[in-house]
């Protein structure tokens, strides 16, 4: 078992990482929740795999009910949000009842947003079951839905009471989905934990230890900047170009981040910010996990990133590695960007 604590001004919470934890959830939930009713939100894929077991592991201590949403990004909509709220109200949810997000990123983001807004806020616990959600969206309190064709455009910061990760859930992911999560895990090593990168070279099982090493990077960044106003941008390493590539092609998020990291590494080397050894080292690790390392010329994507919604008042925040496990935020005016890149 590995335990991390995310220490925030608003609310501190534990992340527990333990093989087989889904079979004794009550033990942990009782540490953060003293009332008797729990509502689980999950999707129709995760339902088949884990819902019965999860209910079994809770029902000796709690009255458990659930709402199931269709799997997939389409469920991160205002329609599904309204539907879930309606069902919870019909089932008699009260504002001191606990919500559990059981599933991947869509379930986590939607359930977190319900928890942030229904009754102006309910407690919730995250039980992420995909590697991508375990690595990223379940930690740090970003919740939300897509709207008007824009991803995560409506949302709120809402920290969970606890995050419970069972590494054995990774066994049911298909290879591509598993590697999708590896993109974010490798990113954590790249920006903040060179030791993790070393560990990955032997392609170990992604166990409690590796997950904890990776999340310790996200934890530190979130603690330094809970509301994403500064240091938290470091988590966007590989996302500047990755996001543009993800929107244009049929890549999963972690795959696009892999390509975006390589593009950022090449630019960082040109600008003499990034140590040259970073490119080979990271490319080799990405290849171990079958992540795409296709060459994309950054010049073809400069316009996309200049118009990206993440840019604030004409300033682009590039995240560059300096060395393996260390990064910097490099602010550059969008007008200067092309000029600067042409010079190198
Ligand atoms: N996914 C980036 C963040 O949590 O800030």
């Amino acid at each position: 078992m590995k335990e991390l604590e995310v220490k925030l001004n608003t609310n501190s919470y534990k992340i527990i990482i333990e093989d087989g934890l889904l079979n004794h959830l009550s033990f942990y939930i009782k540490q953060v929740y003293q009332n008797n009713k729990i509502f689980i939100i999950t999707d129709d894929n995760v339902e088949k795999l884990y819902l019965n077991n999860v209910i079994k592991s809770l029902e000796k201590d709690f009255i458990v009910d659930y709402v199931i949403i269709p799997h997939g990004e389409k469920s991160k909509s205002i329609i599904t949000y309204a539907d879930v709220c309606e069902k919870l109200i019909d089932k008699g949810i009260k504002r001191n009842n606990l919500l559990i997000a059981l599933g991947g990123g869509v379930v986590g983001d939607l359930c977190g947003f319900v928890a942030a807004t229904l009754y102006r806020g309910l407690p919730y616990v995250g039980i992420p079951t995909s590697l991508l959600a375990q690595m990223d969206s379940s930690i740090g309190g970003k919740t939300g839905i897509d709207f008007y064709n824009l991803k995560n455009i409506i949302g709120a910061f809402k920290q969970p009471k606890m995050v419970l990760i069972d590494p054995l859930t990774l066994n049911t992911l298909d290879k591509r989905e598993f590697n999708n999560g590896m993109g974010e895990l490798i990113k954590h090593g790249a920006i903040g934990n060179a030791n993790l990168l070393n560990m990955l070279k032997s392609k170990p099982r992604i166990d409690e230890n590796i997950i904890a090493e990776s999340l310790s990077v996200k934890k530190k960044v979130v603690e330094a900047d809970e509301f994403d106003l500064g240091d938290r941008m470091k988590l966007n390493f590989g996302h500047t170009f990755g996001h543009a590539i993800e929107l244009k092609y049929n890549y999963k998020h972690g795959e696009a981040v892999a390509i975006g990291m390589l593009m950022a590494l090449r630019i960082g080397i040109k600008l003499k910010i990034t140590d040259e050894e970073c490119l080979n080292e990271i490319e080799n690790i990405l290849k171990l996990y079958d992540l795409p390392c296709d060459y994309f010329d950054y010049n073809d994507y400069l316009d996309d990133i200049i118009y990206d919604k993440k840019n604030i008042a004409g300033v682009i925040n590039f995240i560059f590695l300096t060395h393996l496990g260390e990064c910097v935020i490099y602010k550059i005016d969008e007008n200067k960007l092309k000029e600067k890149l042409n010079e190198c």
Side-chain angles (χ1 to χ4, degrees):
M1 193 270 265
K2 288 271 168 190
E3 180 178 319
L4 301 173
E5 185 169 8
V6 184
K7 295 187 188 116
L8 301 170
N9 294 331
T10 50
N11 166 34
S12 296
Y13 56 95
K14 284 184 192 168
I15 305 169
I16 310 284
I17 309 154
E18 187 189 316
D19 282 344
L21 154 163
L22 284 191
N23 300 319
H24 53 273
L25 288 170
S26 271
F27 173 77
Y28 291 114
I29 303 275
K30 278 196 284 187
Q31 296 176 18
V32 291
Y33 182 61
Q34 280 75 43
N35 294 321
N36 68 347
K37 196 141 192 199
I38 291 180
F39 292 86
I40 299 168
I41 299 180
T42 193
D43 72 29
D44 51 355
N45 279 343
V46 179
E47 174 206 356
K48 291 180 200 104
L49 294 167
Y50 303 119
L51 186 62
N52 279 345
N53 270 3
V54 165
I55 292 176
K56 247 188 234 151
S57 82
L58 290 168
E59 67 189 356
K60 71 173 170 32
D61 295 294
F62 302 100
I63 300 165
V64 186
D65 205 343
Y66 55 86
V67 175
I68 295 166
I69 62 168
H71 66 273
E73 184 74 23
K74 272 202 181 135
S75 282
K76 260 179 73 171
S77 68
I78 205 145
I79 292 170
T80 313
Y81 165 76
D83 188 49
V84 169
C85 289
E86 235 173 71
K87 287 190 170 125
L88 290 170
I89 293 166
D90 285 347
K91 285 169 181 284
I93 192 166
K94 299 285 178 293
R95 72 175 188 193
N96 58 1
N97 293 157
L98 182 79
L99 288 178
I100 288 183
L102 173 70
V106 169
V107 166
D109 286 2
L110 180 76
C111 176
F113 188 54
V114 172
T117 48
L118 188 62
Y119 289 120
R120 296 200 188 91
L122 292 161
Y124 84 107
V125 166
I127 307 183
T129 55
S130 72
L131 184 58
L132 189 67
Q134 291 174 0
M135 286 305 106
D136 191 20
S137 55
S138 66
I139 315 294
K142 282 188 180 174
T143 74
I145 54 175
D146 306 335
F147 183 65
Y148 206 50
N149 271 333
L150 295 165
K151 266 181 79 99
N152 301 321
I153 198 76
I154 296 178
F157 284 95
K158 169 80 178 173
Q159 301 294 343
K161 288 280 169 207
M162 190 176 245
V163 177
L164 298 170
I165 296 178
D166 186 340
L168 298 183
T169 58
L170 303 182
N171 296 340
T172 54
L173 299 178
D174 68 42
K175 191 164 173 265
R176 187 171 176 203
E177 185 48 45
F178 176 82
N179 291 339
N180 185 26
M182 284 306 299
E184 287 285 346
L185 193 151
I186 294 165
K187 179 202 77 182
H188 286 157
I191 63 169
N193 190 339
N195 181 41
L196 172 61
L197 292 179
N198 261 332
M199 292 161 86
L200 293 177
K201 284 182 190 165
S202 60
K203 214 173 171 204
R205 177 170 97 80
I206 301 305
D207 60 6
E208 297 169 357
N209 202 24
I210 303 255
I211 294 174
E213 284 289 328
S214 173
L215 289 184
S216 65
V217 176
K218 177 140 193 186
K219 164 190 135 67
K220 250 190 249 158
V221 174
V222 169
E223 283 173 346
D225 178 20
E226 179 178 352
F227 295 109
D228 203 10
L229 300 168
D231 253 29
R232 191 159 172 171
M233 285 177 214
K234 289 179 177 170
L235 296 171
N236 289 337
F237 175 57
H239 287 56
T240 311
F241 287 103
H243 191 227
I245 305 266
E246 190 179 350
L247 289 177
K248 283 207 174 150
Y249 305 98
N250 209 9
Y251 287 113
K252 286 181 180 261
H253 179 72
E255 296 170 341
V257 167
I259 294 170
M261 286 195 280
L262 296 177
M263 290 167 89
L265 287 166
R266 287 193 187 98
I267 300 174
I269 291 169
K270 278 195 175 226
L271 294 174
K272 301 201 183 321
I273 299 169
T274 303
D275 187 350
E276 286 191 21
E277 70 154 352
C278 295
L279 182 60
N280 269 346
E281 289 278 322
I282 290 177
E283 185 164 355
N284 287 339
I285 296 171
L286 294 173
K287 281 182 178 156
L288 274 181
Y289 293 93
D290 293 328
L291 283 160
C293 295
D294 311 317
Y295 179 80
F296 282 77
D297 188 339
Y298 57 77
N299 287 302
D300 298 336
Y301 296 89
L302 288 178
D303 287 335
D304 295 297
I305 64 163
I306 284 172
Y307 296 111
D308 189 274
K309 71 173 169 24
K310 283 202 187 77
N311 302 328
I312 302 165
V315 174
I316 296 179
N317 290 288
F318 261 109
I319 315 303
F320 290 120
L321 292 201
T322 47
H323 306 280
L324 289 171
E326 284 171 41
C327 66
V328 286
I329 302 172
Y330 183 88
K331 288 184 191 299
I332 185 160
D333 181 279
E334 56 187 38
N335 297 320
K336 288 226 176 89
L337 176 71
K338 287 186 180 177
E339 211 179 289
K340 184 91 191 161
L341 287 174
N342 282 336
E343 277 168 22
C344 38

